[in-house]
Amino acid sequence: MVLPFLLLADAAWAGELAIVNARIHPSPDAQPIAKGTVLVRDGKLVQVGTDVAVPDGAEVIDAEGGSVVAGFWNSHAHILPLPLSEATARSPAELAFALRRMFAHWGFTTVFDIASFPPGNAATLRKRIAAGEVAGPSLLTVDMPFFPADGTPSYVKDLLESMAAPSAEVATASEARERARRQLAEGADGVKLFIGAIVDDGTGVRLMDLEIVRAVVDEAHRAGKPAFAHPTTMEGIELALAGGIDVLAHPTPASGPWSAELARRLVDGDVALTPTLQLFEIEVRKENAPETVVEEVAGIVQQQLRLFHEAGGQVLFGTDIGYIDQADTSREFELMAGAGMDWRAILASLTTTPARRFGQHARKGRIEAGMDADLVVLGSDPADDLRAFSNVRYTVRGGEVIHPAPWHRP
Ligand SMILES: [Zn+2]
């Protein structure tokens, strides 16, 4: 016997889907379309507007009272927690459940895994999603990160041991270059360098040699792929700038406030930033610090984001989900707004900016005929209230409704 929800899932995947009565925001800088219809066929957007006929037999989603925006990107995530770290062994249902909780529930249709273990695991998951076996986001991965010699971060050590994963440390530029070349040839979508690795041997932060940074970045760029870095300190930022890094995976609370001049240099260097603001509140609270310290740290990273955004920097929405367990995105939006980003700037960080940054602008990031049918139906309108961004009614990836689960759909 075939269960009814399986039939429904298949129908949504292959057929036509119409989202009606929606206030559509085609892109962050476009005029909204009131009471519009988005028509999807075979995973692509075929028509968008107010004068769209809904074909007989199409699945219909009524977005009355809500809004429709392009599918979100999470540009800083980790395919680390169970069951996702066992992508070969686990069932499609288990994997889809975890992916829905972390991503689809919050509107994410494309996710960049910027370091995970064991090697090759995220690529296996990517393959199972792409084959239609597991409902989930379009997945990009850097596979294993690069740590400096004796620079495996303290918070990763136990995890690596429990997975019996190989060391991710690199001692020389040639060793680093060789592994980067291999990972990229095996399908990694970028590289991730722990330029400033947080270690617990009393020294605090282990910096990567500039020569190693350059070797890894060089291999990534040769393959047309981005290099992410974990800078941690001001020295880390300088190494990132000197080494040609494309994306800072975090701001740097340990460095204290940034100067406008530093923000300008990052923008001139074409360096993008994932703010991960909420992460720092979570980390500081973990150490049982008083709330005044939590506020102080949050204030520093907001100041850094504010200057970077004001300087015209490319902000890529990212939360570090998979390292943190907190999937709810509402606090991150609140903190970004507190750093001076309005709803259009936040929508850009979720859609057009990452699509352009990662070379998928022709297919993703906007609601326009011919684009991938990656959509989010929100319960309200972010133009009225930012909280709409975390009020996700439906997530559609490549024409398939991946949230809510078929058995929860009205
Ligand atoms: Zn991370």
Side-chain angles (χ1 to χ4, degrees):
M1 188 191 127
V2 179
L3 296 171
F5 64 77
L6 292 177
L7 289 173
L8 185 60
D10 277 344
W13 174 249
E16 288 174 314
L17 170 70
I19 301 170
V20 301
N21 293 324
R23 188 163 190 214
I24 304 164
H25 292 293
S27 75
D29 50 11
Q31 282 297 314
I33 300 168
K35 291 270 172 201
T37 296
V38 180
L39 184 63
V40 171
R41 188 180 303 133
D42 297 331
K44 295 280 179 192
L45 302 176
V46 288
Q47 261 185 297
V48 182
T50 50
D51 192 24
V52 178
V54 176
D56 289 343
E59 185 184 348
V60 175
I61 289 176
D62 188 347
E64 179 67 50
S67 61
V68 181
V69 291
F72 295 163
W73 288 64
N74 192 328
S75 301
H76 188 149
H78 298 282
I79 300 299
L80 276 180
L82 285 168
L84 299 181
S85 60
E86 297 179 354
T88 307
R90 300 298 188 118
S91 72
E94 279 179 292
L95 296 170
F97 182 86
L99 290 168
R100 192 178 313 115
R101 185 191 78 81
M102 285 167 68
F103 302 119
H105 186 95
W106 305 99
F108 297 113
T109 54
T110 308
V111 168
F112 219 131
D113 160 51
I114 62 162
S116 61
F117 308 95
N121 179 71
T124 300
L125 183 61
R126 181 180 63 188
K127 206 161 125 195
R128 293 185 74 180
I129 295 169
E133 188 197 349
V134 174
S138 299
L139 187 60
L140 299 163
T141 179
V142 302
D143 203 327
M144 292 240 294
F146 293 79
F147 299 145
D150 299 318
T152 299
S154 45
Y155 52 87
V156 194
K157 269 189 180 151
D158 292 349
L159 182 73
L160 283 177
E161 252 166 56
S162 73
M163 289 176 169
S167 166
E169 294 181 11
V170 278
T172 66
S174 60
E175 185 194 340
R177 183 182 293 278
E178 198 172 311
R179 175 147 71 85
R181 196 176 289 165
R182 191 184 72 236
Q183 288 185 188
L184 291 157
E186 286 170 359
D189 301 293
V191 294
K192 166 75 176 289
L193 300 91
F194 281 64
I195 283 182
I198 300 168
V199 292
D200 59 2
D201 64 356
T203 60
V205 176
R206 178 87 70 247
L207 293 172
M208 189 176 269
D209 290 341
L210 178 58
E211 207 194 336
I212 295 179
V213 177
R214 284 198 171 133
V216 176
V217 171
D218 184 44
E219 286 303 318
H221 289 175
R222 203 194 297 272
K225 311 236 168 108
F228 296 81
H230 199 323
T232 310
T233 61
M234 205 52 87
E235 291 100 317
I237 294 183
E238 292 298 342
L239 276 169
L241 278 165
I245 288 295
D246 302 287
V247 184
L248 293 184
H250 299 292
T252 57
S255 73
W258 286 354
S259 65
E261 193 238 335
L262 177 68
R264 168 56 46 207
R265 286 176 59 213
L266 289 169
V267 175
D268 288 346
D270 201 23
V271 180
L273 171 71
T274 56
T276 67
L277 301 177
Q278 187 197 12
L279 162 75
F280 298 103
E281 287 188 337
I282 293 172
E283 290 291 272
V284 175
R285 286 206 178 104
K286 231 195 259 174
E287 291 157 19
N288 292 317
E291 275 307 293
T292 49
V293 176
V294 176
E295 279 166 35
E296 189 188 329
V297 171
I300 293 172
V301 288
Q302 277 184 311
Q303 184 267 358
Q304 296 172 347
L305 175 59
R306 179 185 294 277
L307 286 190
F308 183 76
H309 173 57
E310 283 173 359
Q314 290 181 23
V315 178
L316 309 170
F317 185 88
T319 54
D320 217 352
I321 177 72
Y323 169 66
I324 58 168
D325 190 46
Q326 178 64 267
D328 187 331
T329 50
S330 51
R331 181 64 182 153
E332 186 68 17
F333 292 127
E334 231 171 74
L335 290 165
M336 290 169 84
M341 293 182 71
D342 65 13
W343 77 273
R344 290 183 187 278
I346 293 176
L347 182 59
S349 79
L350 287 160
T351 56
T352 44
T353 309
R356 194 174 295 119
R357 188 81 211 187
F358 301 126
Q360 300 195 20
H361 194 54
R363 294 195 292 122
K364 293 182 190 292
R366 288 162 293 139
I367 302 179
E368 205 179 285
M371 307 280 281
D372 288 358
D374 290 357
L375 301 161
V376 190
V377 180
L378 300 170
S380 49
D381 189 341
D384 302 330
D385 183 351
L386 271 176
R387 282 176 294 190
F389 280 130
S390 45
N391 176 10
V392 175
R393 269 196 210 157
Y394 292 90
T395 303
V396 179
R397 203 274 299 176
E400 183 187 13
V401 179
I402 55 172
H403 165 77
W407 52 93
H408 281 150
R409 268 171 229 160

